[in-house]
Amino acid sequence: MGNRHKFTGKKITEDLLTDNRYLLLVLMDAERAWSYAMQLKQEANTEPRKRFHLLSRLRKAVKHAEELERLCESNRVDAKTKLEAQAYTAYLSGMLRFEHQGWKAAIEAFNKCKTIYEKLASAFTEEQAVLYNQRVEEISPNIRYCAYNIGDQSAISELMQMRLRSGGTEGLLAEKLEALITQTRAKQAATMSEVEWRGRTVPVKIDKVRIFLLGLADNEAAIAQAESEETKERLFESMLSECRDAIQAVREELKPDQKQRDYTLEGESGKVSNLQYLHSYLTYIKLSTAVRRNENMAKGLQKALQQQPEDDSKRSPRPQDLIRLYDIILQNLVELLQLPGLEEDRAFQKEIGLKTLVFKAYRCFFIAQSYVLVKKWSEALVLYDRVLKYANEVNSDAGAFRNSLKDLPDVQELITQVRSEKCSLQAAAILDASDSHQTETSSQVKDNKPLVERFETFCLDPSLVTKQANLVHFPPGFQPIPCKPLFFDLALNHVAFPPLEDKLEQKTKSGLTGYIKGIFGFRS
């Protein structure tokens, strides 16, 4: 295409189709324009003017796709490639009409693309059919979204089911679908004025809370129908995020009104205000959802504990991981007992107390399992007895609360498992005691002591004839030795010397006479 100084573009024609790589040139032009449009789609969220550039790049992608389809009409191209080029052009055309909100033209293009891919999937092998069916699943939400905007009201439920099965939509449809669901719930929220919980009806005036409460049943149904653990976890996080936003909206309403910040109404001791009771209800939903999420994670870890890890490089789960989850669950249950407005609800307090016993039993069970791993038999046996105590309390006190406990882990199954574990533990403890006795008397067992420290004990140690023989501690350890003594002359202070007065020269008294005698040399 020219030389190093000047670019001279060459148009690809049918005459040049002697090599299939000429088609890839046109395909890469379309893909380049498409990928740039997707980048602009992300940037347009904060810079709206880039939407114009986005539409321009989409039009350029469609132009290159149409050129590719025209070239594929040549006799040198096989039928499969012709159909794939037509589906590719129809898909890009549909996305362009989708952005222009031309719903009828977009749905026609998407349907054409879907039909071609379905025909190709039925005509080839299963391995190739997987790719075509995957493209059909990606296009289906776009078709239902266009149908909803045209006037098909039943499409919204199908869109939500598609989002659930696929684990979340991507691309241009993701934000539009979330906005559509929020808009639909907002329309329904206009008719919602109150909510009833535990025998008390409170008005709901905050729009964000209305939207959340209307979508609560849909979210719970979606979690129940989720097929994979990743989808469940994503839905739990989404529900908790919406719940936190609703709680924050209620808190902002509580702040300005000092009277509603006081929990007790005048003349009605023990009864909280409607707004505070609504706050307690939303907090109950948040904590209950957190308990269910952690319980679901615990079930997944229990399954992983029972299975052998396929990849040794990955860290396998341990009972300590489950203990941490049950600690969080018990903390959430304690917070439930402290909700304002439910202090005198004895049924609620009893129900939460029973749930606490159930999760305490499972927590003790996995603590015992962790002790079994380190061969602390007596501690594990005591904890197994504690598990049976909690489980028997639940069975004896459940009574009318069995319906509320049916979603929790089965306590009777836990009792059966604990009894079998106790038998296994006792057998393991006896075998371990026997093995330790044999270890002391067997000549085949060696310890980590060097040879210099076990001359009195005979054992066969093959490592002594290798290059890594453990003979002595090297380098040797430090040993205390006596140092050179220091002498201090302290006795001198206590020595009594003999009198020396008789050895000293006596000085005689002398006056004027002695002075005169001294002058003239007379001395006595």
Side-chain angles (χ1 to χ4, degrees):
M1 297 203 178
N3 51 40
R4 66 172 60 183
H5 302 292
K6 183 179 180 182
F7 172 79
T8 305
K10 291 183 179 179
K11 188 175 182 180
I12 299 176
T13 61
E14 295 183 9
D15 298 334
L16 293 176
L17 297 182
T18 55
D19 192 332
N20 56 7
R21 289 179 294 179
Y22 285 106
L23 293 176
L24 295 180
L25 291 174
V26 185
L27 177 61
M28 287 300 105
D29 287 337
E31 285 293 300
R32 182 178 60 180
W34 164 256
S35 60
Y36 192 16
M38 293 301 99
Q39 176 186 341
L40 294 170
K41 176 66 178 177
Q42 299 295 328
E43 297 174 356
N45 294 328
T46 55
E47 303 178 54
R49 287 196 58 83
K50 289 196 174 182
R51 177 173 171 77
F52 298 103
H53 196 183
L54 158 69
L55 297 175
S56 174
R57 299 312 300 173
L58 278 178
R59 283 191 291 267
K60 181 69 71 173
V62 172
K63 179 181 177 182
H64 289 303
E66 291 174 348
E67 178 67 16
L68 176 64
E69 182 182 0
R70 185 187 64 79
L71 291 173
C72 288
E73 292 176 355
S74 172
N75 295 329
R76 299 178 181 179
V77 180
D78 59 2
K80 176 186 174 183
T81 306
K82 290 180 179 179
L83 289 174
E84 288 180 344
Q86 292 175 11
Y88 184 71
T89 304
Y91 176 74
L92 292 182
S93 300
M95 296 307 294
L96 178 61
R97 303 296 184 275
F98 191 93
E99 279 298 308
H100 281 293
Q101 297 184 0
W103 308 119
K104 290 185 178 181
I107 198 172
E108 290 176 0
F110 286 138
N111 281 327
K112 178 182 178 181
C113 179
K114 180 181 178 182
T115 302
I116 294 173
Y117 282 133
E118 287 175 345
K119 295 295 184 181
L120 288 171
S122 61
F124 293 96
T125 62
E126 293 184 0
E127 295 181 356
Q128 293 175 322
V130 170
L131 298 175
Y132 294 126
N133 289 328
Q134 183 179 357
R135 292 292 296 159
V136 171
E137 292 178 1
E138 293 175 359
I139 296 169
S140 296
N142 300 44
I143 295 174
R144 299 311 302 161
Y145 187 85
C146 294
Y148 173 80
N149 284 280
I150 291 173
D152 187 358
Q153 297 297 325
S154 63
I156 182 64
S157 60
E158 295 184 19
L159 281 170
M160 296 181 68
Q161 291 296 326
M162 289 178 181
R163 182 186 66 162
L164 176 62
R165 288 195 300 268
S166 62
T169 53
E170 300 178 354
L172 296 174
L173 186 62
E175 297 177 3
K176 294 180 179 294
L177 181 56
E178 294 298 331
L180 175 62
I181 294 173
T182 304
Q183 180 182 0
T184 304
R185 289 176 180 172
K187 292 179 181 179
Q188 297 173 354
T191 61
M192 181 182 181
S193 59
E194 59 187 16
V195 64
E196 183 178 356
W197 181 55
R198 303 199 69 84
R200 178 175 173 179
T201 303
V202 293
V204 182
K205 301 179 181 179
I206 305 173
D207 292 337
K208 187 174 290 187
V209 178
R210 289 178 179 177
I211 293 172
F212 169 72
L213 293 177
L214 281 172
L216 182 62
D218 293 336
N219 289 332
E220 291 180 349
I223 291 172
Q225 297 173 9
E227 298 177 356
S228 63
E229 295 299 325
E230 292 79 6
T231 304
K232 275 189 178 182
E233 182 65 22
R234 180 183 57 81
L235 292 174
F236 272 126
E237 289 297 332
S238 175
M239 183 174 173
L240 286 172
S241 177
E242 294 177 5
C243 187
R244 284 190 287 266
D245 293 341
I247 291 174
Q248 183 61 31
V250 175
R251 285 176 181 169
E252 292 175 358
E253 291 292 327
L254 279 171
K255 288 179 182 178
D257 193 350
Q258 183 65 30
K259 294 181 180 179
Q260 289 183 344
R261 290 182 64 184
D262 297 330
Y263 292 162
T264 305
L265 292 175
E266 296 181 3
E268 297 183 9
S269 178
K271 187 176 181 181
V272 299
S273 64
N274 288 332
L275 199 57
Q276 182 60 47
Y277 195 77
L278 179 61
H279 183 273
S280 298
Y281 176 45
L282 294 173
T283 307
Y284 168 81
I285 294 173
K286 184 189 75 171
L287 294 174
S288 300
T289 305
V291 168
R292 289 167 53 202
R293 181 193 62 180
N294 291 324
E295 183 185 352
N296 183 69
M297 294 173 63
K299 289 180 180 178
L301 285 177
Q302 289 181 39
K303 292 179 181 178
L305 278 174
Q306 296 172 359
Q307 298 174 357
Q308 294 294 334
E310 298 178 358
D311 189 359
D312 295 336
S313 61
K314 293 183 179 179
R315 176 184 175 274
S316 58
R318 301 175 299 171
Q320 289 84 343
D321 301 330
L322 283 161
I323 295 170
R324 175 59 181 161
L325 284 176
Y326 284 115
D327 283 336
I328 297 173
I329 290 174
L330 291 173
Q331 180 61 36
N332 290 333
L333 293 176
V334 170
E335 294 179 12
L336 283 173
L337 291 173
Q338 299 172 353
L339 289 178
L342 299 174
E343 297 87 350
E344 299 180 359
D345 193 339
R346 301 303 177 193
F348 179 79
Q349 301 286 331
K350 183 68 173 179
E351 179 183 343
I352 300 300
L354 289 174
K355 291 181 178 180
T356 302
L357 287 176
V358 172
F359 290 113
K360 277 186 176 181
Y362 272 88
R363 178 177 176 273
C364 280
F365 175 78
F366 288 106
I367 294 177
Q369 293 283 75
S370 64
Y371 277 120
V372 169
L373 293 178
V374 294
K375 296 184 179 182
K376 293 186 177 181
W377 313 116
S378 57
E379 292 87 345
L381 187 60
V382 171
L383 286 168
Y384 280 142
D385 291 335
R386 180 66 62 87
V387 173
L388 293 176
K389 176 186 174 184
Y390 286 144
N392 291 329
E393 287 183 15
V394 173
N395 285 334
S396 60
D397 298 341
F401 298 97
R402 293 194 181 276
N403 290 332
S404 60
L405 300 178
K406 64 182 181 180
D407 294 333
L408 298 181
D410 189 5
V411 177
Q412 194 61 39
E413 181 181 348
L414 179 63
I415 292 175
T416 305
Q417 187 175 1
V418 167
R419 287 173 178 170
S420 64
E421 291 289 341
K422 285 182 66 176
C423 296
S424 301
L425 184 146
Q426 292 171 352
I430 294 171
L431 291 174
D432 185 61
S434 176
D435 291 342
S436 62
H437 178 70
Q438 293 177 4
T439 300
E440 296 175 359
T441 59
S442 175
S443 63
Q444 299 295 328
V445 180
K446 67 180 184 68
D447 51 22
N448 293 325
K449 294 181 179 179
L451 180 62
V452 71
E453 295 182 3
R454 51 186 173 91
F455 284 138
E456 297 81 4
T457 304
F458 173 76
C459 66
L460 298 178
D461 189 358
S463 64
L464 292 177
V465 295
T466 63
K467 293 183 178 180
Q468 289 81 22
N470 189 10
L471 302 178
V472 294
H473 287 296
F474 186 83
F478 290 100
Q479 294 182 358
I481 60 173
C483 62
K484 182 179 180 180
L486 298 177
F487 295 98
F488 299 95
D489 193 1
L490 302 177
L492 182 63
N493 298 330
H494 303 279
V495 173
F497 292 97
L500 301 176
E501 288 81 358
D502 56 339
K503 304 293 183 181
L504 297 177
E505 181 181 0
Q506 295 292 332
K507 290 185 178 182
T508 58
K509 297 181 180 180
S510 59
L512 180 61
T513 303
Y515 177 73
I516 294 173
K517 290 179 178 180
I519 295 175
F520 294 102
F522 300 105
R523 291 288 183 186
S524 58

